[in-house]
Amino acid sequence: MTDLLDLAGDFPLLSRTVREGKPLVYLDTGATSQKPGQVLDAERAFNERHNAAVHRGAHQIAEEATEAFESARSAVAAFVGADFGEIVWTKNATEALNLVSHGFLNASLGRGGADAARFKLAPGDEIVVTELEHHANLVPWQELAAKTGAKLRWIPVTPEGRLDLEQLSVITDRTRVVAFTHASNVTGAVTEVAPVVERAKSVGAYTVLDACQSAAHMPVDLHDLGVDFAAFSGHKMLGPTGVGALYGREELLQALPPFLTGGSMVEVVTMEETTFMPPPQRFEAGTQMVAQTVGMHAAVDYLSAVGMERLAAHEDHMGQLLLEGLAEVPGVRLLGPTSSAQRLAVIAFDVPGVHPHDVGQVLDDQGIAVRVGHHCAQPVHRRFGVHASTRASAGVYTTTADVEAFVKGLHQVVKFFA
Amino acid sequence: MEQLYQQVILDHSKARSGEGELDSPHGASFQVNPTCGDECTVQVSLEGQRLAQLAWSGKGCSISQASLSLMYEMVDGEPLEQAEQLGETFRELIHNRGHELTPEKMELLEDLSAFTGVGRYSARVKCALLGWMALREALAQARHHTGASGQPPQTQA
Ligand SMILES: Cc1ncc(COP(=O)(O)O)c(C=O)c1O
């Protein structure tokens, strides 16, 4: 018997009503999570007491702000099994992934000197992605390929919606980068990372992990996983919007040229040229989102206090209930693994003959919030032969009552459009 | 729900009119709804100042499909100016946050008045208007192509 959590009370937004007084059933955590009072309070307290620009100025509150900013970095690093200097603040996972791809691009253009030559791409090289990717971990690599003349290749997806690990031969001696997701935001499948990393290492390719969904819903230890780079977003893991992080192995961040340039990331600037600071500052140009990093600190503290193992067990249970409920609705087709093993409680499905927009609308009318559309992952939808889907995704605060309301709502949908 | 999904809309989303392709259209437009990836193509050919033929294809939700189907029924074969006027009035209705327009305008809209409720749901506005955006662009192209005189009426976004 799973030890179910009862945390909805910590999340102020969850107590509101929608559509003329209906209690909110929030099943769109895969898009963005709700935030506990602890996170909201931490941001507010920072702004009320310690707000200042970091790493500048000699006054007391600037010192306090800098301390809060760096202590958030330290907490987030510990949360994902990384060292302090391996975490770079970004605005979200998308920016983190672009930071890496543009680092490679700039190295390919000769920036970063001899140290950065290891990241150079040229015609004849290959970049490997997967058919399962969110556009955030696909489009930047398409762009990098187009700009450097490297060739883009991809690992296909099994009929169940998992990476096809039988097809790792796509990774060859020509491969320089392998970018892949840790957990799909459509099929919910959790990737077995080890074989991909092993294969990439054996050919000397760098690995880039999209940990956007995984970091929020299961224990993640990036050192254990052995990837070179990883990206995640605060807003998916109970933290604020506007903050995310890039993880990079220290040695690699030392050598990678910057993406965004300007203030706060430089040493000596003359009219002709500029020298850059060491990482992580080299990658943090401009005034930073300090209050948001403080909120993200509170979020990882909250998650750690709950315990990621317990959280995962709770969500796993909700995922199982969702899958069982879905299986009872006539005609509905699941896009993803049918068992809750090695998958997140991210459940995308197709109701034949009813467009996802219409499914979502009827659910919304009952106060149930789900995601409809392609969820920024058109290729995997195409792989399943559909244009779009409806997705229910659970979080730490999801209750069995939420799942029951959703399943009842879905029966309603089928009846309405019959 | 029944207010949004009027029977006319449900019927037209299932039994759709005007789907197809023209051999040599004077104007065509492809539109996508980036939030859900829905898409449609509208093709038109003119005869003087008349919209002689319209055909559309696409995939999307019941609102967008019904809107395209009704559009076909109401503008195919009609004078250009009338088709464009209808488009403008429909746009006005959809942007009216779920409220009806003047009785004269509602009468002009005929079955399209069933879409009044769509305006209450900002996320669905684009669905209702996708086909009409394509029509507007296709007609502008066709006017240019055929040298049909006259200006399309003032447009709103
Ligand atoms: C798997 C995955 N990767 C990347 C992203 C992009 O995250 P963000 O929009 O926060 O940059 C998301 C979220 O939409 C996601 O689910």
Side-chain angles (χ1 to χ4, degrees):
Chain A
M1 185 62 208
T2 315
D3 152 39
L4 286 187
L5 301 170
D6 179 16
L7 298 173
D10 285 347
F11 295 77
L13 184 140
L14 295 177
S15 64
R16 68 163 284 183
T17 59
V18 291
R19 299 289 177 215
E20 284 137 27
K22 309 217 174 58
L24 170 66
V25 175
Y26 188 75
L27 289 171
D28 198 15
T29 296
T32 199
S33 63
Q34 296 305 337
K35 294 107 187 52
Q38 287 86 334
V39 167
L40 307 175
D41 290 347
E43 264 195 88
R44 186 175 182 93
F46 173 82
N47 277 316
E48 284 180 350
R49 301 274 308 155
H50 311 292
N51 179 48
V54 297
H55 294 304
R56 299 172 192 180
H59 54 78
Q60 182 183 337
I61 43 176
E63 272 175 20
E64 289 170 4
T66 304
E67 213 160 282
F69 183 67
E70 294 304 337
S71 116
R73 190 193 308 276
S74 156
V76 168
F79 183 75
V80 293
D83 292 337
F84 176 78
E86 296 178 321
I87 294 295
V88 174
W89 294 122
T90 62
K91 116 179 125 161
N92 51 29
T94 303
E95 186 184 283
L97 293 162
N98 273 277
L99 193 165
V100 181
S101 70
H102 281 80
F104 276 80
L105 172 65
N106 292 338
S108 304
L109 296 171
R111 300 297 295 158
D115 284 355
R118 59 196 295 177
F119 302 118
K120 267 190 183 164
L121 275 95
D125 291 335
E126 292 179 355
I127 299 169
V128 170
V129 293
T130 91
E131 214 181 357
L132 203 51
E133 297 314 302
H134 186 284
H135 298 160
N137 200 29
L138 168 58
V139 184
W141 303 112
Q142 289 176 344
E143 286 293 306
L144 181 63
K147 289 169 187 167
T148 58
K151 186 165 183 240
L152 190 77
R153 303 188 65 189
W154 51 89
I155 302 168
V157 168
T158 67
E160 226 202 356
R162 294 187 182 280
L163 278 200
D164 191 347
L165 297 177
E166 307 284 301
Q167 309 282 330
L168 291 183
S169 55
V170 176
I171 303 170
T172 69
D173 287 342
R174 288 184 295 280
T175 309
R176 304 297 319 285
V177 185
V178 180
F180 63 111
T181 193
H182 196 187
S184 164
N185 68 316
V186 176
T187 69
V190 174
T191 305
E192 208 188 321
V193 172
V196 184
V197 167
E198 194 180 318
R199 174 92 189 172
K201 276 200 173 140
S202 74
V203 301
Y206 294 110
T207 47
V208 182
L209 188 71
D210 178 352
C212 224
Q213 292 292 335
S214 60
H217 300 287
M218 55 191 261
V220 169
D221 187 312
L222 293 170
H223 282 172
D224 271 2
L225 291 173
V227 292
D228 293 315
F229 297 97
F232 50 99
S233 278
H235 72 93
K236 297 215 194 258
M237 44 202 290
L238 315 186
T241 50
V243 63
L246 171 72
Y247 160 81
R249 283 203 296 115
E250 193 138 12
E251 170 209 357
L252 300 179
L253 289 184
Q254 289 291 351
L256 193 72
F259 167 35
L260 301 177
T261 54
S264 304
M265 48 80 72
V266 297
E267 287 169 348
V268 181
V269 181
T270 65
M271 285 316 292
E272 290 78 23
E273 58 182 9
T274 294
T275 58
F276 303 124
M277 288 178 76
Q281 275 73 34
R282 184 193 302 157
F283 304 103
E284 295 175 354
T287 304
Q288 296 294 296
M289 60 310 260
V290 190
Q292 287 84 344
T293 64
V294 170
M296 189 159 173
H297 186 169
V300 298
D301 280 355
Y302 184 95
L303 289 168
S304 301
V306 171
M308 288 307 278
E309 297 281 357
R310 274 176 81 212
L311 174 148
H314 173 87
E315 293 188 5
D316 195 61
H317 188 77
M318 294 304 144
Q320 223 163 313
L321 294 180
L322 282 166
L323 287 169
E324 285 166 18
L326 205 67
E328 283 167 20
V329 186
V332 168
R333 173 182 168 215
L334 175 71
L335 311 181
T338 49
S339 115
S340 69
Q342 284 296 93
R343 102 185 309 286
L344 299 180
V346 170
I347 318 280
F349 58 91
D350 181 43
V351 185
V354 187
H355 191 277
H357 243 174
D358 295 319
V359 176
Q361 191 84 55
V362 174
L363 291 174
D364 171 65
D365 193 54
Q366 300 163 65
I368 303 162
V370 295
R371 177 82 184 259
V372 300
H374 49 57
H375 325 313
C376 300
Q378 291 181 20
V380 70
H381 278 88
R382 207 164 290 128
R383 166 70 179 79
F384 280 111
V386 296
H387 210 54
S389 65
T390 308
R391 181 186 73 187
S393 53
V396 64
Y397 36 67
T398 303
T399 64
T400 51
D402 290 335
V403 176
E404 282 159 17
F406 165 76
V407 174
K408 193 163 147 244
L410 201 55
H411 280 283
Q412 199 76 5
V413 168
V414 173
K415 220 164 79 193
F416 188 84
F417 291 104
Chain B
M1 261 314 87
E2 286 71 15
Q3 220 188 335
L4 174 66
Y5 291 110
Q6 303 267 329
Q7 199 56 47
V8 181
I9 296 181
L10 292 177
D11 290 348
H12 270 271
S13 73
K14 287 178 194 144
R16 301 182 285 269
S17 303
E19 277 180 295
E21 250 182 83
L22 301 184
D23 282 338
S24 44
H26 293 131
S29 169
F30 171 74
Q31 297 284 333
V32 294
N33 184 349
T35 54
C36 54
D38 287 352
E39 50 191 52
C40 76
T41 298
V42 169
Q43 299 178 317
V44 295
S45 59
L46 309 187
E47 268 174 34
Q49 297 294 322
R50 204 169 62 87
L51 201 179
Q53 268 192 311
L54 182 153
W56 65 272
S57 60
K59 38 197 166 190
C61 64
S62 59
I63 303 290
S64 74
Q65 300 295 287
S67 173
L68 277 151
S69 174
L70 267 162
M71 175 176 89
Y72 169 80
E73 292 196 354
M74 292 186 65
V75 305
D76 184 59
E78 299 298 328
L80 274 186
E81 203 176 316
Q82 191 177 317
E84 284 165 339
Q85 193 52 53
L86 186 69
E88 289 315 306
T89 309
F90 186 63
R91 247 183 286 282
E92 198 184 328
L93 175 75
I94 298 301
H95 285 298
N96 211 32
R97 301 182 173 275
H99 305 297
E100 296 199 341
L101 303 174
T102 61
E104 300 75 49
K105 286 182 175 171
M106 294 312 287
E107 201 168 314
L108 183 76
L109 287 166
E110 297 179 26
D111 275 354
L112 285 172
S113 60
F115 286 81
T116 306
V118 175
R120 288 174 51 214
Y121 300 91
S122 57
R124 307 306 295 271
V125 163
K126 185 87 192 252
C127 308
L129 294 180
L130 195 67
W132 295 85
M133 282 164 50
L135 176 66
R136 185 159 74 180
E137 219 179 89
L139 285 179
Q141 222 181 65
R143 277 181 184 279
H144 187 73
H145 203 82
T146 61
S149 58
Q151 282 295 313
Q154 276 296 308
T155 54
Q156 80 182 78

